[in-house]
Amino acid sequence: MSVTDFIPVRMADGTLELLDQTLLPLEEKFIKIESIEALYDAIKRLQVRGAPAIGVAAGYGVYIAAKKASENASLTEALAAIRRDGEYLISARPTAVNLKWAVDRVIGKVDAAVSGQEAASPADLPAIALAEAEAIRKEDFDACMGMAENGLSLLEPGMGLLTHCNAGVLATAGYGTALAPIHLGQEKGYGFKVFADETRPLLQGARLTSWELARGGVDVTLICDNMASIVMKSGKVDAVLVGCDRMAANGDGANKIGTSGVAILAKEYGIPFYMFVPTSTIDLDTKSGSDIIIEERDSDEIAAMWYEERMAPEGIKMYNPAFDVTDAKYITAIVTEKGIVYPPFEDGLKALFE
Ligand code: MRU
């Protein structure tokens, strides 16, 4: 068994298939996605989740849009229809930049093919979109490998590591971002001991990370989010490894709700805090974390979703932000596929794109 066996986004006989992550860890089931509406719904409901995996799925989404648009009479109409579907997909979730990045990239390729007269009719567009979506998937696999190697260079065999949410295979089209060096280290006999925060309210740590790491043979211990402090204080954590959904130009990084608290704790206990960020997740157009839109989700996720009976009084006010921003000052280093960036981050991040 290889951890790549459960890469959650794949094409099978020309149809997009997603590992339905709402069913894990109880059921491993791939669902077929044949329309833009079905993909919007899968992204919104977190059947596919994790910034890079959402991006890869959205790239294929433009292919689905192009197939539908190829029935249009003219290239102009087809392009307009693809753009409409692209905007619709982007509106499914606002924080992870990979969604917009991937949609814009594939539509940009289709657009260029039309302007450059490589596409003679709407029927030519699906193949162009599919090739670019495939390129995004392959680049994501390679980026994960780059982060695995760069991240491993920061770690020693036998270390205790703590992670939040799921930034693994299940969140990408490869080894993961923050979990990539853990999987690679496992293959090389590093013997890491990993603490996985359960990650309230949607339990990505409990349902996904502990499942994924156990499947990969890693020594993993599940803890509730509010146990991170005692585990750190008792000396069991040598480094914190987390992913990112959007990194601003100054190094502030949005990630799953609760990440910023973990970073603040790590600073207090003198533990290095590494954020794993593929370049597809860096958004230099966003100046700082305060410019990142934070998704708010249904309060039922807090009050009812995991319980046999509702656990909060009817009518109580609730607030359910899906992400928070870790200020750059709490991040020890940013690990990308192109190298490790140390503070001050602004110039180092910009240089990755030069
Ligand atoms: O709401 P989710 O499950 O999509 O949130 C995922 C995260 O916050 C991950 O940590 C992030 O996308 C980085 S994944 C490589």
Side-chain angles (χ1 to χ4, degrees):
M1 206 265 322
S2 156
V3 291
T4 52
D5 290 350
F6 46 84
I7 286 178
V9 183
R10 67 185 189 199
M11 283 302 261
D13 299 327
T15 301
L16 174 61
E17 292 188 347
L18 302 176
L19 178 61
D20 183 348
Q21 298 192 37
T22 62
L23 303 177
L24 287 172
L26 301 180
E27 202 183 330
E28 284 169 53
K29 184 179 159 197
F30 276 86
I31 50 169
K32 290 189 191 305
I33 299 289
E34 287 173 299
S35 70
I36 283 292
E37 291 73 19
L39 182 56
Y40 174 95
D41 195 50
I43 294 172
K44 184 109 193 150
R45 297 202 308 111
L46 274 53
Q47 286 175 301
V48 62
R49 35 69 51 203
I54 293 171
V56 173
Y60 289 119
V62 178
Y63 162 63
I64 295 171
K67 270 204 296 194
K68 191 176 74 177
S70 66
E71 289 156 19
N72 278 280
S74 77
L75 274 169
T76 319
E77 278 166 354
L79 210 46
I82 295 170
R83 284 210 184 93
R84 271 196 306 276
D85 280 344
E87 285 307 315
Y88 170 64
L89 266 191
I90 290 170
S91 71
R93 296 192 77 188
T95 304
V97 69
N98 300 61
L99 174 54
K100 178 171 163 45
W101 170 84
V103 167
D104 287 351
R105 176 168 155 179
V106 181
I107 291 183
K109 195 74 182 182
V110 172
D111 213 346
V114 171
S115 323
Q117 294 175 346
E118 277 164 56
S121 86
D124 297 330
L125 302 183
I128 294 162
L130 181 59
E132 195 63 7
E134 281 287 331
I136 290 176
R137 182 184 59 76
K138 288 192 186 117
E139 284 168 29
D140 190 61
F141 185 90
D142 293 343
C144 290
M145 228 19 130
M147 283 179 284
E149 278 154 13
N150 293 335
L152 202 56
S153 74
L154 297 166
L155 307 173
E156 301 292 336
M159 272 186 166
L161 307 173
L162 185 137
T163 191
H164 191 76
C165 192
N166 174 269
V169 174
L170 292 171
T172 63
Y175 270 46
T177 62
L179 299 191
I182 298 176
H183 287 305
L184 186 63
Q186 181 65 20
E187 289 170 7
K188 292 178 186 267
Y190 268 55
F192 294 130
K193 294 190 180 341
V194 181
F195 291 92
D197 284 350
E198 69 173 348
T199 316
R200 284 268 298 156
L202 288 179
L203 308 182
Q204 287 91 336
R207 296 187 301 109
L208 309 179
T209 296
S210 62
W211 178 85
E212 167 175 338
L213 291 181
R215 280 286 290 263
V218 176
D219 178 332
V220 57
T221 304
L222 177 64
I223 58 171
C224 298
D225 297 338
N226 52 8
M227 297 169 189
S229 179
I230 192 171
V231 174
M232 287 186 190
K233 195 173 184 180
S234 59
K236 291 182 179 138
V237 180
D238 299 297
V240 175
L241 277 52
V242 297
C244 182
D245 287 86
R246 185 185 297 246
M247 174 151 281
N250 70 343
D252 291 347
N255 192 47
K256 180 50 56 192
I257 190 72
T259 303
S260 69
V262 175
I264 293 165
L265 280 178
K267 181 139 191 152
E268 173 65 24
Y269 292 120
I271 298 166
F273 180 93
Y274 300 122
M275 197 168 247
F276 285 69
V277 193
T279 47
S280 58
T281 303
I282 299 171
D283 178 13
L284 295 181
D285 293 335
T286 296
K287 279 206 178 64
S288 78
S290 50
D291 302 313
I292 298 175
I293 298 171
I294 300 293
E295 173 185 0
E296 278 188 46
R297 297 183 62 87
D298 198 303
S299 57
D300 259 13
E301 290 176 354
I302 301 179
M305 196 163 173
W306 306 107
Y307 306 116
E308 272 182 29
E309 283 174 50
R310 188 182 164 87
M311 281 292 146
E314 288 294 345
I316 199 80
K317 283 198 283 182
M318 280 180 271
Y319 172 49
N320 184 19
F323 300 94
D324 61 22
V325 172
T326 299
D327 294 341
K329 67 178 180 188
Y330 295 111
I331 301 173
T332 311
I334 296 165
V335 182
T336 80
E337 76 275 22
K338 293 189 178 172
I340 303 172
V341 183
Y342 291 95
F345 295 123
E346 193 132 6
D347 290 347
L349 289 176
K350 211 190 296 168
L352 295 172
F353 294 89
E354 280 159 8

